[in-house]
Amino acid sequence: MKTIGKGIGMNGKGILMRRVTYIIIGVCCSLSVQMARAASFVGQPSDSVTVCRLLAEARQQPKTTNFPLFFARKFIGKPYVAYTLEQPGAERLVVNTRELDCTTLVETVTALTICTYRGLRTYSDYRNVLTAMRYRGGKIDRYPSRIHYFTEWITDNTKAGIVREIQQPNPPFSAIQTVSVSYMSTHPQSYQALRAHPEYISEIAAMERKVSGGKFRYIPKQEVKNTAAMREAVHDGDIIAITCKKPGLDIAHLGFAVWRKDGLHLLNASQLHKKVVEEPMTLREYLQKHPSHTGIRIIRINKQH
């Protein structure tokens, strides 16, 4: 072993690191397969492979890495698929790194980022973080326990220390959104679980009343410009929540902030492109194409110590 060690050059070190990475992934996935037998979650073996591989890759990056963007860019090209969380039967955690919508992209990337910040390495760790983010108080108790409106997601995950909302300075945070949500309880036919369990509608309506009334500062879309003030306020890798004026809703779309020379862009799971993309147009142009969009709220993932 000493002779081999002395003979390792740069290529040898690279091979050794890859071997170590594959061993870690193998152990991680083996454990996840064992735990899957007691399946309290829905997922495919390839999801555990992806999660373990990405967490292993992240450990080899410099500490100065922008991990939200590092992880988000790993999913570019993945297909956009809506309603992946809607599964028959009892409510269970859904893990799906193969198909994403705007919300599950944000949750997947945030969970991977938090695992990296906390030094968590296994698929089980990842699922625990995802559960803590997706369910009120981190507890799965039927469909109503899942967080359905992004305003509540921000509030719940702020309490958990996972994220914080940026609302200063003014400008550019010159507008105030007064949240008023009711879409789910007034459109139950649009939700598989509410069609199957109409008794949940009253619980959803009660949740909507609690979420409604909150006031949050946001950047109106006419102020989303390529300025020093905007670059200071919005950082690469911030979660962008697009506010809207559609009755009963708070947020229309989600993605991650990416600054380029020409301005701010959105990395998102795009229904238009049918995959995860960094939008070629600026976010300002994107917002102008959607009359119902009013601006953006900014949420930052907390670095863990």
Side-chain angles (χ1 to χ4, degrees):
M1 289 300 293
K2 288 183 180 179
T3 303
I4 294 172
K6 287 180 181 179
I8 291 178
M10 291 304 293
N11 290 339
K13 288 181 180 178
I15 292 169
L16 180 60
M17 286 301 294
R18 283 196 295 274
R19 286 177 179 170
V20 170
T21 298
Y22 294 146
I23 290 169
I24 292 170
I25 291 172
V27 171
C28 176
C29 294
S30 175
L31 289 172
S32 71
V33 168
Q34 293 174 32
M35 297 185 71
R37 291 170 185 166
S40 59
F41 67 96
V42 179
Q44 298 293 326
S46 61
D47 295 312
S48 66
V49 172
T50 297
V51 167
C52 294
R53 174 177 56 80
L54 291 178
L55 290 177
E57 286 182 18
R59 289 197 295 278
Q60 298 177 28
Q61 304 305 308
K63 291 184 178 180
T64 55
T65 299
N66 186 311
F67 284 107
L69 277 189
F70 170 80
F71 287 121
R73 284 175 167 150
K74 295 292 184 178
F75 293 99
I76 289 176
K78 293 284 186 181
Y80 173 94
V81 178
Y83 307 114
T84 58
L85 299 186
E86 308 312 313
Q87 301 287 328
E91 181 73 14
R92 291 182 292 170
L93 178 73
V94 174
V95 180
N96 190 340
T97 61
R98 297 155 281 113
E99 306 160 324
L100 300 154
D101 62 22
C102 69
T103 301
T104 58
L105 173 65
V106 165
E107 289 187 328
T108 299
V109 168
T110 302
L112 288 166
T113 300
I114 292 299
C115 283
T116 297
Y117 287 158
R118 294 180 179 176
L120 304 175
R121 302 185 174 193
T122 70
Y123 186 43
S124 177
D125 291 331
Y126 170 82
R127 295 199 315 270
N128 289 339
V129 172
L130 191 61
T131 301
M133 286 194 313
R134 186 175 289 167
Y135 291 90
R136 196 170 299 110
K139 296 180 181 179
I140 302 176
D141 177 22
R142 303 169 304 122
Y143 179 78
S145 69
R146 195 195 312 164
I147 298 173
H148 296 285
Y149 289 96
F150 202 67
T151 290
E152 187 185 11
W153 189 97
I154 299 167
T155 302
D156 202 71
N157 284 291
T158 296
K159 290 178 182 176
I162 292 173
V163 300
R164 67 188 187 278
E165 183 162 8
I166 308 301
Q167 300 186 67
Q168 295 291 338
N170 175 16
F173 291 90
S174 57
I176 296 176
Q177 179 189 35
T178 301
V179 171
S180 178
V181 292
S182 60
Y183 192 87
M184 292 183 69
S185 63
T186 55
H187 297 80
Q189 69 280 3
S190 299
Y191 300 89
Q192 176 183 309
L194 297 184
R195 292 196 303 270
H197 297 277
E199 68 274 15
Y200 291 166
I201 298 173
S202 61
E203 292 183 61
I204 294 295
M207 173 271 294
E208 291 171 335
R209 289 191 292 272
K210 289 181 180 179
V211 174
S212 295
K215 296 179 183 295
F216 304 91
R217 284 199 167 272
Y218 70 97
I219 303 172
K221 66 180 181 181
Q222 63 269 21
E223 295 301 320
V224 178
K225 302 174 182 178
N226 190 10
T227 63
M230 273 292 296
R231 286 179 177 266
E232 181 69 23
V234 182
H235 297 176
D236 278 326
D238 281 349
I239 299 168
I240 292 178
I242 298 177
T243 56
C244 67
K245 54 186 177 183
K246 187 172 182 178
L249 292 178
D250 53 343
I251 301 298
H253 192 50
L254 301 171
F256 290 93
V258 180
W259 281 104
R260 299 183 187 169
K261 288 183 178 180
D262 63 344
L264 184 60
H265 290 251
L266 187 70
L267 194 165
N268 70 126
S270 168
Q271 188 174 14
L272 175 64
H273 297 288
K274 302 188 187 309
K275 61 184 178 181
V276 177
V277 298
E278 281 190 32
E279 289 289 348
M281 72 180 77
T282 66
L283 181 58
R284 180 178 177 83
E285 293 169 319
Y286 180 93
L287 293 170
Q288 298 304 323
K289 288 181 178 291
H290 295 81
S292 65
H293 293 175
T294 57
I296 58 174
R297 289 168 64 180
I298 302 299
I299 300 89
R300 191 162 296 156
I301 302 170
N302 290 328
K303 289 191 175 180
Q304 311 287 298
H305 301 288

